[in-house]
Amino acid sequence: RFLIKGGLAGTAVYVAYDQGLLGSGTQGAEALKKAQETLPPAIQEWTNYLGWEVRAAQLPPTPKFDFSLSDSWNKGVHTVMSALSVAPTRACEYTMEGWKYVKDLVK
């Protein structure tokens, strides 16, 4: 079982690497476009092979993504770095507010 699971995981990683999913954002976008072009004909071919009758109107349309993966990643990195850069200042402010609160309670 362990060898089968390891083999499947290794194959999945290899396929992801081979298709460009582990590369840059532009390679990922190209892989997504390629999948959107390839998937509907492949589904139609398999349904014909299995003898199922599936009309094109029954298949849901492929989703359209209007965002750049690299821009989203960069925005996340900027947000995290911004939060880390203000963390010492905020910690000092919150500490001062806490001491002030404790002093007011003691009075």
Side-chain angles (χ1 to χ4, degrees):
R1 286 182 139 185
F2 177 74
L3 293 176
I4 292 172
K5 289 180 183 180
L8 289 174
T11 303
V13 170
Y14 173 75
V15 169
Y17 176 77
D18 187 48
Q19 295 299 318
L21 295 176
L22 300 178
S24 67
T26 55
Q27 290 176 334
E30 290 173 9
L32 178 63
K33 182 187 279 187
K34 183 178 173 184
Q36 287 175 337
E37 293 171 354
T38 308
L39 196 57
I43 292 173
Q44 187 65 40
E45 181 181 336
W46 273 98
T47 56
N48 291 342
Y49 177 75
L50 295 173
W52 296 342
E53 184 178 340
V54 178
R55 294 182 188 92
Q58 291 176 336
L59 291 175
T62 57
K64 303 292 182 202
F65 296 107
D66 282 338
F67 72 95
S68 170
L69 189 59
S70 62
D71 289 342
S72 299
W73 174 263
N74 290 339
K75 183 178 178 183
V77 169
H78 284 291
T79 303
V80 168
M81 290 302 144
S82 174
L84 289 175
S85 69
V86 247
T89 307
R90 294 291 166 99
C92 187
E93 290 174 4
Y94 293 148
T95 303
M96 288 174 42
E97 288 178 15
W99 277 112
K100 183 179 177 184
Y101 178 75
V102 169
K103 285 180 185 178
D104 289 342
L105 283 178
V106 172
K107 288 183 183 179

